[in-house]
């Protein structure tokens, strides 16, 4: 479906003053090239200046049958005929022919001019390009300047080469010196005269030949490695890539080569066929590569991209002769986000057309049919641009919108089609704008915002009159014969309009062949060459906005309104995506004189920046209008209101004002507006609504979606909401929908804001603490604001008023809720730390939170992080508090009693181990303050547990001295955990020998049992020998001898007795060992 809008895309037109009737026209580089009918002269006119003055004119070497201009290289290429032969020629430096008597150099391909021609300065060159077959079509790549020539069954690719003029002169001087030694002086003079002209010379190198035996090219196109060839009813697009790998050519079966020739007596109609992407290789057109480049050592690989075949439809209003493809075009599109050095376009589009339908495909990133243009009447020619598709019929110029910007925008910005940004879809139906009437249009070409039209009045020569009379007689004969056949079988065609229409079409007596385009009449008259200027995209956008007002006033929900706004959006997108070079070209600056941005005057740079600002402002206005359209639209597309409103830059209060229903309107808030508002409230932004706006939001959801009121009230932007008014609405919701935990907590928050603490306490006591924790999990923003509602790391979070109240009255509930939020990925560990810091209780609740996290978490990385943190805190407490029973704390503020004692943690958390018995000997209870004792027991418990990595704790313990017994116990624990039993036994005997037996009983077991007699017994013997009156050492020795006698044989025991020992002292233990051995 094609929409039609009465918007005028044209601003003005002027007539080019051409002396002779134009036969061919083309444009490029700011110039219009005109070839007179049947002539051998090209005239170039400036389309950038008023009146299109003549730039230059030059003669060609033959009658021009086709002419093209290349943007890269600024050269012309022609197909010419002379004396019955066809030639391909390129014209470079044509701008130097402003004076018709200027010098012209003629050379063959690859034979650069040297000698006197070089020394004479820059001049126009005519490059003769020899071909083995007759050229029928030619195309230039706008990116690289390469040349593609279509012959009867082959395509020949020529690569554009540039060679610096100085290097040419050096080669010329070397040749002259080797040939004529006396010319050395003149050569040096020539070098001096031309040294100031460092101009590159253009040349071409034949790179590759593509053989297509089953297709006869009528038109060709080339763009960035893409090659397109068009036959009468077929289009084939290939991708040609240079590769360093050698790939053997693919052999294609050719069994049906002469199929059509063998059945020349029959009318063979191929079926419709469309093959996209990799499927295109399944077409029946084989392509083989013949590489001919001498300098390029790389190989070429070929891939099929697109194949489309059509069958003539006799009921489309066109005869067989008229049903043929035309206007083949490969169109590249660069975007502003691309680097200036990048030569590969962001998008490449392929356009071709039948007389009644045009097709636009996107080739990069997957082949896709973007649009099919249904023309209202037969189209003769079409040209694709960034913004519009210009088509001509016999009597009118018409413009259609294109979807190139929709494709490019998605390639440039990955956030499109998300909740952040949006763009109308590539499949959006196209629209036609107001047409401009002309008489006898024949051809069209476009440069920037200039559309060039060639029109010729319909005049017939005597030969044409005779031919038309014969045709009408043949048509009458066919009609009479077929009518008789139908009457013979009892069918009267006059009674059937469809059958009568069929008989009126002459097709039975003609073969299915395409006639060649007729030559231009030499006796015609009444021709004109027009330059029609299109309006700027911003002006056309403004007219579309004015045009859309009629839909807004009559039916704001109309699809036509949304479609028109989408068209305006794509129009602005296409302008914003353009590179600075494209903008200058469209604004009228010739491509040949393009300069870099740094070389431009400041005024021009300012003008470009101003235009961009106006375009971006217009885009924001358009996004606001599209947001309004989708906000009131159906449920299907309502989600698009969110990204469009975001792109508009409107505040939430402005969006609310645009969607506020009129008092007399029966319409309520649209689903798109509610979708936008919910997403805005779900986002964690620093912007808060005023009380009036917040109350309006509460009213909106209480009317439209009451179930969302809890989430709305918990949203950070709603911090200024009226608590009394909101509480009444929530109470009404509870009466109608029933009691829920999040609703109760929300109501308690409102009573807290009102200062009604008894009512707050009553509401919070409705549910048990564990049930309240589940309520906080369901709506975490009741406790925390910030973090995006999903606990995104490194995002600032802050506590709510309810959180601060819980810290004062129910710290256990707060800690349990924070642990639950962390375990449900609602908050990160760093964010929770920040919350406790803001609560000014990092020295109290934060450690309780970490200890509770150790009880709940199962993530090893989190556990190790928490263990390191709590150990640091415990050591800090031991360092900053006195060990006496009356501590004086100067470094930390008074803190509350810990939620979990050491015994609680030992009993409920596997990371806290039971205290070793010998620790009670080293640090007995009631010898230090309670806070000191609690921190010591928790740290000792962690060192006794299985999870703490001792190596990570040792550097922290360096802060604690071993002078005190409790400090010594911690260092001894670490040494024991690290397996240093020998040194630990020595240190313990030195500091606290009364604990040695308890230590040995706990640690010297199993594989360490031998240490009883290998280490402990000798140490005790030595120490008692030195201090015989030490009762502690003697008691430890007796206990050790008891253990040793139980674990060794009598012989081994005798060997362990010291030589100077008293026999009566060791004899009872030896006797016990012998008795045990005998019993065993």
């Amino acid at each position: 479906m094609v929409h039609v809008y009465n918007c005028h895309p044209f601003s003005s037109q002027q007539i080019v003053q051409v002396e002779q009737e134009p036969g061919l026209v083309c444009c490029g580089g700011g110039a219009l090239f005109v070839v007179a009918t049947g002539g051998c002269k090209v005239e170039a006119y400036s389309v950038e200046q008023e009146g299109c003055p003549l730039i230059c004119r030059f003669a060609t070497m033959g009658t021009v049958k086709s002419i093209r201009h290349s943007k890269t290289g600024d050269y012309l290429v022609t197909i010419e005929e002379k004396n019955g032969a066809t030639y391909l020629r390129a014209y470079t430096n044509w701008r130097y022919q402003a004076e018709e008597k200027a010098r012209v150099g003629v050379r063959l391909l690859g034979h650069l001019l040297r000698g006197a021609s070089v020394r004479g300065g820059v001049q126009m060159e005519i490059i003769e390009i020899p071909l083995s077959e007759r050229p029928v079509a030619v195309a230039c790549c706008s990116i690289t300047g390469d040349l593609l020539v279509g012959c009867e069954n082959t395509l020949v690719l020529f690569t554009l080469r540039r060679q610096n003029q100085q290097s040419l002169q050096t080669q010329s001087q070397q040749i002259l010196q080797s040939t004529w030694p006396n010319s050395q002086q003149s050569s040096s003079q020539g070098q001096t005269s031309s040294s100031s002209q460092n101009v590159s010379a253009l040349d071409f190198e034949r790179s590759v030949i593509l053989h297509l035996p089953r297709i006869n090219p009528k038109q060709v196109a080339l763009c960035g490695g893409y090659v397109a060839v068009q036959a009468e009813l077929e289009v084939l697009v290939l991708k040609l890539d240079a590769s360093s790998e050698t790939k053997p050519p693919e052999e294609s079966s050719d069994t049906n080569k002469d199929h059509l020739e063998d059945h020349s007596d029959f009318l063979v109609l191929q079926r419709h066929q469309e093959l996209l992407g990799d499927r295109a290789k399944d077409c029946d057109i084989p392509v083989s590569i013949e590489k001919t480049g001498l300098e390029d050592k790389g190989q070429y690989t070929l891939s099929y991209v697109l194949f489309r075949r059509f069958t003539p439809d006799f009921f489309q209003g066109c005869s067989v002769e008229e049903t043929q493809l035309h206007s083949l075009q490969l169109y590249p599109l660069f975007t502003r986000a691309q680097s200036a050095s990048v030569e590969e376009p962001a998008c490449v589009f392929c356009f071709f057309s039948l007389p009644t339908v045009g097709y636009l495909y996107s080739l990069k990133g997957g082949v896709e049919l973007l649009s099919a243009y249904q023309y209202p009447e037969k189209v003769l020619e079409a040209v694709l641009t960034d913004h519009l598709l210009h088509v001509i019929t016999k009597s009118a110029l018409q413009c259609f919108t294109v979807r190139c910007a929709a494709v490019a925008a998605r390639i440039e910005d990955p956030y499109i089609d998300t909740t952040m940004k949006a763009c109308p879809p590539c499949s959006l139906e196209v629209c036609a704008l107001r047409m401009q009437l002309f008489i006898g249009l024949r051809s069209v070409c476009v440069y920037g915002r200039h559309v060039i039209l060639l029109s010729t009045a319909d005049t017939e020569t005597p030969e044409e009159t005779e031919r038309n009379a014969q045709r009408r007689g043949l048509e009458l004969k066919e009609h009479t014969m077929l009518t008789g056949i139908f009457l013979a079988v009892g069918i009267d065609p006059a009674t059937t309009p469809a059958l009568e229409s069929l008989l009126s079409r002459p097709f039975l007596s003609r073969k299915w062949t395409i006639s060649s385009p007729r030559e231009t009449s030499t006796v015609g008259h009444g021709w004109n060459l027009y330059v029609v200027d299109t309006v700027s995209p911003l002006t056309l956008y403004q007219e579309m906005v004015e045009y859309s007002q009629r839909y807004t006033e009559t039916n704001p929900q109309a699809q036509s309104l949304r479609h028109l706004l989408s068209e305006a959006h794509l129009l602005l997108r296409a302008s914003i995506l353009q590179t600075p070079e494209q903008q200058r070209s469209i604004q009228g600056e010739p491509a040949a004189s393009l300069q870099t941005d740094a070389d431009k005057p400041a005024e021009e740079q300012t003008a470009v920046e101003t235009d961009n600002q106006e375009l971006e402002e217009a885009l924001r206005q358009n996004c606001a209008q599209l947001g309004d359209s989708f906000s009131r639209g159906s449920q299907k597309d309502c989600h698009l209101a969110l990204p469009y409103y975001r792109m508009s830059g409107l505040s939430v209060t402005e969006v609310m004002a645009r969607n506020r229903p009129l008092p007399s309107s029966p319409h309520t808030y649209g689903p798109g507006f509610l979708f936008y508002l919910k997403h805005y409230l779900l986002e964690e932004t620093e912007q808060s609504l005023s009380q009036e706006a917040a109350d309006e939001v509460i009213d909106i959801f209480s009317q439209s979606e009451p179930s969302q009121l809890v989430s709305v009230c918990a949203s950070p932007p709603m911090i200024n909401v009226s608590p009394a008014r909101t509480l009444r609405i929530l109470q009404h919701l509870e009466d109608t929908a029933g009691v829920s935990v999040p609703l109760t907590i929300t109501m308690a928050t409102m009573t807290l804001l009102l200062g009604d603490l008894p009512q707050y306490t009553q509401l919070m006591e409705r549910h048990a603490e564990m049930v309240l924790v589940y309520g906080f999990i369901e709506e975490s923003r009741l406790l925390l604001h910030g973090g995006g509602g999903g606990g995104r790391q490194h995002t600032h979070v802050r506590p709510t008023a309810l959180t601060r109240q819980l810290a004062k009255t129910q710290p256990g509930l707060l800690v349990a809720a924070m642990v639950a939020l962390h375990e449900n990925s609602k908050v990160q560990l760093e964010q929770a730390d920040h919350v406790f810091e803001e609560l000014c209780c990092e020295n109290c609740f934060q450690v309780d939170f970490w200890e509770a996290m150790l009880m709940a978490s199962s993530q090893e990385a989190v556990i190790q992080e928490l263990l390191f943190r709590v150990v640091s805190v415990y050591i800090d407490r031991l360092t900053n508090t006195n060990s006496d029973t009356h501590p004086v704390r100067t470094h930390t503020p008074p803190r509350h009693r810990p939620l979990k004692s050491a015994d609680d943690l030992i009993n409920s958390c596997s990371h806290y181990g039971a205290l070793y018995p010998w620790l009670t000997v080293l640090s007995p209870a009631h010898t230090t303050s309670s806070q000191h004792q609690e921190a010591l027991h928790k740290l000792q418990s962690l060192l006794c547990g299985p999870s703490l990595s001792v190596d990570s704790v040792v550097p922290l313990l360096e802060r604690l001295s071993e002078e005190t017994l409790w400090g010594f116990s911690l260092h001894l624990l670490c040494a024991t955990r690290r397996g240093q039993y020998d040194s630990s036994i020595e240190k313990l005997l030195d500091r606290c020998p009364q604990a040695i037996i308890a230590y040995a009983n706990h640690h010297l077991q199993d594989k360490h049992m031998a240490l009883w007699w290998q280490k402990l017994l000798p140490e005790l013997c030595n120490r008692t020998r030195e201090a015989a009156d030490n009762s502690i050492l003697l008691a430890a020795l007796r206990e050790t001898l008891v253990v040793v006698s139980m674990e060794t044989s009598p012989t081994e025991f005798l060997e362990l007795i010291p030589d100077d020992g008293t026999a009566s002292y060791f004899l009872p233990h030896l006797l016990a060992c012998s008795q045990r051995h005998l019993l065993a």
Side-chain angles (χ1 to χ4, degrees):
M1 177 181 176
V2 178
H3 298 255
V4 180
Y5 299 121
N6 192 24
C7 299
H8 205 299
F10 308 111
S11 60
S12 63
Q13 72 180 41
Q14 54 183 324
I15 298 177
V16 183
Q17 302 299 323
V18 183
E19 297 178 358
Q20 298 180 353
E21 178 181 0
L24 296 173
V25 295
C26 77
C27 56
L32 167 63
F33 303 96
V34 181
V35 180
T37 301
C40 299
K41 182 176 291 187
V42 177
E43 295 180 343
Y45 297 88
S46 174
V47 296
E48 309 298 344
Q49 302 179 28
E50 187 69 26
C52 299
L54 179 69
I55 299 176
C56 65
R57 61 167 56 93
F58 55 89
T60 61
M61 299 179 67
T63 304
V64 180
K65 296 299 182 183
S66 177
I67 183 170
R68 292 288 184 273
H69 175 268
S70 174
K71 172 184 175 183
T72 303
D74 192 29
Y75 67 87
L76 289 168
V77 61
T78 62
I79 297 177
E80 304 175 12
E81 285 187 1
K82 187 174 183 180
N83 299 328
T86 304
Y87 301 90
L88 180 68
R89 297 186 174 100
Y91 294 79
T92 65
N93 296 333
W94 55 269
R95 295 182 187 270
Y96 292 95
Q97 289 298 303
E99 299 179 5
E100 291 189 55
K101 296 181 180 180
R103 296 167 57 92
V104 176
V106 182
R107 62 180 175 87
L108 280 175
L109 173 76
H111 295 71
L112 299 175
L113 296 179
R114 298 182 175 90
S117 298
V118 175
R119 294 193 300 271
V122 179
Q123 61 184 9
M124 188 178 86
E125 287 187 352
I126 303 176
I127 304 174
E128 191 82 29
I129 304 177
L131 293 169
S132 59
E133 300 183 35
R134 184 176 67 89
V136 295
V138 66
C140 303
C141 177
S142 61
I143 302 172
T144 62
D146 294 346
L147 180 62
L148 180 67
V149 182
C151 301
E152 292 185 359
N153 290 115
T154 59
L155 301 178
V156 186
L157 177 64
F158 293 89
T159 304
L160 180 66
R161 302 296 187 190
R162 296 177 184 268
Q163 187 161 356
N164 192 280
Q165 200 78 300
Q166 290 181 348
S167 64
L168 296 180
Q169 181 176 343
T170 303
Q171 296 175 10
S172 174
Q173 183 177 353
Q174 293 173 356
I175 295 174
L176 289 171
Q177 290 176 355
S178 63
T179 307
W180 296 287
N182 295 331
S183 63
Q184 182 176 0
Q185 183 178 359
S186 61
S187 298
S188 61
Q189 293 175 354
Q191 180 178 0
T192 304
S193 62
S194 62
S195 60
S196 61
Q197 297 180 3
N198 186 13
V199 181
S200 61
L202 299 183
D203 196 25
F204 298 93
E205 179 192 358
R206 184 183 284 106
S207 273
V208 67
I209 299 176
L210 303 180
H211 294 274
L212 300 90
R214 295 189 187 175
I215 190 169
N216 296 320
K218 299 298 181 184
Q219 282 187 304
V220 293
L222 177 65
C223 177
Y226 288 91
V227 175
V229 56
Q230 171 189 300
E232 294 171 350
L233 290 171
E234 294 169 326
V235 172
L236 176 64
V237 181
L238 308 169
K239 183 70 166 67
L240 195 61
D241 294 305
S243 173
S244 59
E245 300 178 0
T246 303
K247 182 178 180 182
E250 298 180 0
E251 297 295 335
S252 303
S253 60
D254 202 18
T255 56
N256 298 324
K257 181 176 180 179
D258 299 327
H259 177 75
L260 293 179
E261 288 79 356
D262 295 341
H263 300 84
S264 57
D265 295 335
F266 298 92
L267 180 62
V268 180
L269 298 180
Q270 299 283 354
R271 63 185 177 88
H272 281 288
Q273 196 173 17
E274 181 186 39
L275 301 175
L276 306 181
D278 294 336
R279 293 182 57 216
K281 66 179 180 294
D282 298 330
C283 68
D284 56 356
I285 299 181
V287 181
S288 59
I289 300 178
E290 176 187 348
K291 181 178 174 295
T292 61
L294 299 178
E295 299 177 5
D296 190 1
K297 298 181 180 179
Q299 301 294 323
Y300 285 94
T301 58
L302 192 67
S303 58
Y304 288 77
V305 177
L306 166 67
F307 176 73
R308 188 74 190 263
R309 173 181 287 147
F310 299 91
T311 299
D313 193 339
F314 302 106
F315 303 97
Q316 289 185 343
C318 297
S319 64
V320 176
E321 289 86 348
E322 295 172 332
T323 306
Q324 58 178 314
L325 290 167
H326 62 77
S327 304
L328 176 66
Q329 188 177 355
L330 288 177
Y331 190 79
L333 188 60
F334 293 84
T335 62
R336 190 178 299 180
Q338 290 182 280
S339 172
S341 61
V342 175
E343 291 187 353
E344 185 176 359
C347 314
V348 177
F349 303 95
C350 179
F351 177 81
F352 49 86
S353 180
L354 288 168
T356 56
V357 187
Y359 299 91
L360 178 62
Y361 285 86
S362 174
L363 302 183
K364 292 196 67 174
V367 185
E368 178 187 5
L369 175 63
L370 297 180
S371 306
Y373 295 88
Q374 300 289 338
Y375 306 134
E377 55 182 314
K378 186 178 70 173
V379 166
L380 304 178
E381 197 173 354
V383 181
L384 178 67
T385 66
D386 285 353
H387 300 86
L388 299 170
L389 173 70
H390 301 278
V391 303
I392 59 168
T393 64
K394 194 174 182 179
S395 59
L397 167 65
Q398 191 167 12
C399 294
F400 292 85
T401 55
V402 295
R403 300 291 167 258
C404 301
V407 178
R410 285 167 170 81
I411 293 177
E412 183 189 50
D413 193 342
Y415 288 100
I416 287 181
D417 296 329
T418 66
T419 58
M420 300 300 297
K421 295 181 181 180
C423 181
C426 303
S427 59
L428 184 70
E429 295 173 343
V430 298
C431 76
L433 305 180
R434 186 194 301 175
M435 66 176 60
Q436 187 79 11
L437 298 178
F438 291 90
I439 298 176
L441 290 180
R442 283 179 48 193
S443 66
V444 59
C445 57
V446 177
Y447 174 75
R449 282 166 40 193
H450 309 287
V451 182
I452 293 91
L453 302 172
L454 174 60
S455 68
T456 303
D458 291 334
T459 57
E460 293 185 353
T461 63
E463 293 80 2
E464 290 174 336
T465 304
E466 181 180 357
R467 186 163 58 249
N468 290 338
Q470 293 175 356
R471 180 181 300 174
R472 282 191 292 270
L474 185 59
E475 292 172 359
L476 179 61
K477 181 179 179 181
E478 291 176 353
H479 185 274
T480 304
M481 179 182 66
L482 289 176
T483 303
I485 292 174
F486 280 110
L487 290 175
V489 296
I491 301 176
D492 185 3
T495 61
T496 308
L499 190 57
E500 181 67 22
S501 176
L502 172 64
L503 295 178
S504 66
R505 304 189 183 279
F507 60 89
L508 293 181
S509 63
R510 301 185 186 183
K511 286 186 178 180
W512 183 54
T513 58
I514 306 301
S515 61
S516 301
R518 66 181 179 88
E519 297 291 338
T520 306
S521 172
T522 59
V523 298
H525 60 276
W527 47 266
N528 274 313
L529 191 59
Y530 301 96
V531 176
V532 181
D533 293 338
T534 59
V535 299
S536 67
L538 188 60
T539 303
L540 184 56
Y541 159 77
Q542 293 169 348
E543 186 174 354
M544 286 183 172
V545 171
E546 295 176 2
Y547 191 84
S548 66
Q549 295 301 320
R550 65 183 67 183
Y551 295 109
T552 305
E553 297 171 357
T554 57
N555 185 9
Q557 307 296 329
Q559 288 295 327
S560 296
L561 171 62
R562 186 177 302 172
H563 184 273
L564 186 56
L565 293 175
S566 299
E567 291 287 5
H569 184 95
L570 290 178
L571 196 66
L572 296 173
R573 281 268 190 190
S575 299
I576 292 176
L577 287 171
Q578 285 177 337
T579 62
E581 180 181 350
Q582 289 174 316
Q583 291 179 347
R584 289 193 294 265
S585 176
I586 289 178
Q587 290 171 1
E589 185 176 340
S593 61
L594 291 179
Q595 304 172 7
T596 60
D597 292 343
D599 298 331
K600 289 294 172 181
E603 297 80 3
E604 184 174 342
Q605 291 291 333
T606 304
V608 172
E609 293 176 0
T610 302
D611 291 342
N612 290 334
Q613 292 174 359
E614 292 178 353
L615 287 171
E616 291 172 357
E617 177 61 29
L619 185 66
R620 285 191 290 269
Q621 295 175 1
N622 174 263
C623 289
Q625 294 169 337
L626 280 170
D628 294 341
S629 176
F630 285 109
S631 68
R632 305 184 186 97
S634 62
Q635 195 74 28
K636 177 182 177 182
D637 299 322
C638 67
H639 64 281
L640 293 174
L642 174 63
Y644 279 118
Y645 274 141
R646 279 177 168 167
M647 294 165 63
S648 70
L650 296 175
S651 65
V652 64
T653 53
E654 292 172 328
V655 174
M656 289 167 56
R658 297 171 74 99
N659 286 271
R660 194 175 293 133
L662 298 175
S664 59
S665 174
H667 299 289
T668 58
Y669 298 98
F673 170 66
L674 294 176
F675 183 83
Y676 161 80
L677 201 54
K678 282 188 288 187
H679 270 264
Y680 171 80
L681 297 173
L682 284 173
E683 292 177 351
E684 302 295 341
T685 63
E686 298 298 329
Q687 180 185 3
S688 59
L689 299 175
S690 64
Q691 179 176 343
E692 181 182 358
D695 290 344
E696 183 178 357
V697 171
I698 293 294
D699 292 337
I700 290 172
F701 281 95
S702 63
Q703 298 172 17
S704 304
E705 294 188 36
S707 61
Q708 298 293 325
L709 277 175
V710 172
S711 297
V712 171
C713 293
S715 178
M718 300 291 292
I719 192 172
N720 295 323
V721 71
S722 172
R725 188 172 180 275
T726 305
L727 182 60
R728 290 194 297 270
I729 296 175
L730 293 176
Q731 288 173 341
H732 176 73
L733 175 62
E734 186 182 54
D735 295 338
T736 56
V739 178
S740 69
V741 178
L743 179 58
T744 300
I745 299 175
T746 307
M747 294 171 62
T749 302
M750 295 302 157
T751 58
L752 181 63
L753 294 176
L754 289 172
D756 190 352
L757 294 181
Q759 180 67 18
Y760 162 80
T761 305
Q762 180 182 354
L763 288 171
M764 293 297 289
E765 290 177 351
R766 280 188 181 181
H767 307 284
E769 284 194 356
M770 202 60 216
V771 177
L772 292 175
V773 169
Y774 286 115
F776 288 124
I777 294 175
E778 186 174 345
E779 185 49 76
S780 61
R781 293 180 301 170
L782 292 169
L783 280 181
L784 305 175
H785 282 170
R792 291 178 298 187
Q793 199 164 359
H794 309 303
T795 307
H796 177 73
V797 293
R798 57 190 183 278
T800 63
L802 178 61
T803 306
R804 299 183 184 278
Q805 181 65 21
L806 291 178
K808 297 176 182 178
T809 59
Q810 294 177 282
L813 174 59
L814 174 61
V815 170
M818 293 297 292
V819 171
L821 293 181
H822 180 275
E823 291 303 298
N824 286 273
S825 302
K826 301 284 187 178
V827 68
Q828 297 294 329
L829 196 59
E830 291 77 7
Q831 294 174 332
D833 292 342
H834 181 77
V835 170
F836 288 114
E837 289 174 4
E838 284 208 7
L839 292 173
C840 299
C841 56
E842 64 272 15
N843 289 326
C844 45
F845 298 132
Q846 191 173 34
V847 182
D848 293 329
F849 169 70
W850 291 344
E851 293 172 346
M853 281 292 299
L854 284 172
M855 299 170 58
S857 180
S858 59
Q859 304 176 33
E860 184 61 27
V862 175
I863 291 173
Q864 291 301 324
E865 173 69 19
L866 291 171
L867 288 173
F868 184 81
R869 291 185 181 188
V870 295
V871 167
S872 302
V873 171
Y874 296 154
I875 293 176
D876 184 68
R877 290 179 180 177
L878 292 173
T879 305
N880 296 330
T881 57
N882 294 328
S883 59
D884 56 21
T885 55
H886 303 284
V888 179
R889 288 167 287 181
T890 59
H891 298 282
T892 57
R895 65 187 303 277
H896 77 296
R897 184 180 181 85
L899 295 177
K900 294 288 184 180
S901 65
D903 293 336
D904 295 334
L905 293 175
I906 292 172
N907 295 328
S908 59
C909 182
S910 61
H911 306 296
Y912 289 83
L915 297 179
Y916 300 150
W918 56 271
L919 289 172
T920 58
V921 181
L922 290 178
S923 53
H926 309 298
T927 59
T928 60
S929 66
S930 60
Q931 179 181 346
H932 186 277
Q933 187 79 15
E934 193 70 25
L936 177 62
H937 284 178
K938 288 181 178 179
L939 182 55
Q940 290 175 338
S941 177
L942 283 178
L943 290 171
C944 295
S947 304
L948 182 63
S949 174
V950 179
D951 293 335
S952 64
V953 178
V954 170
L956 299 177
L957 288 178
E958 293 179 356
R959 298 168 52 192
L960 300 178
S961 172
E962 295 188 25
E963 294 180 357
T964 61
L965 280 179
W966 58 266
F968 170 72
S969 69
L970 295 174
H971 287 279
L972 190 65
L973 273 173
C974 288
T976 302
R977 285 283 302 275
R978 301 173 78 178
Q980 301 172 358
Y981 293 104
D982 291 356
S983 61
S984 298
I985 290 173
E986 295 176 2
K987 291 180 179 179
L988 192 57
L989 288 173
D990 292 338
R991 295 292 304 274
C992 188
Q994 61 266 33
I996 189 62
I997 297 302
Y999 178 88
N1001 284 332
H1002 190 83
H1003 294 291
L1004 304 185
Q1005 301 293 330
D1006 300 328
K1007 62 180 181 179
H1008 303 297
M1009 181 63 73
L1011 290 175
W1012 281 90
W1013 54 87
Q1014 292 178 359
K1015 180 63 180 178
L1016 182 57
L1017 181 59
E1019 283 288 337
L1020 288 173
C1021 291
N1022 293 334
R1023 293 173 186 269
T1024 53
R1025 183 182 297 112
E1026 297 173 0
D1029 57 345
N1030 193 326
S1031 60
I1032 296 176
L1033 292 177
L1034 289 173
L1037 180 59
R1038 283 194 299 271
E1039 293 291 336
T1040 303
L1041 288 173
V1042 171
V1043 174
V1044 172
S1045 65
M1046 295 292 293
E1047 298 295 333
T1048 59
S1049 64
T1051 304
E1052 294 171 340
F1053 189 83
L1054 281 173
E1055 294 178 354
L1056 295 174
I1057 296 175
D1059 295 338
D1060 59 345
T1062 305
S1064 60
Y1065 187 82
F1066 292 99
L1067 187 59
H1069 299 288
L1070 178 60
L1071 180 61
C1073 179
S1074 300
Q1075 291 175 349
R1076 182 192 60 79
H1077 186 69
L1078 289 175
L1079 292 175

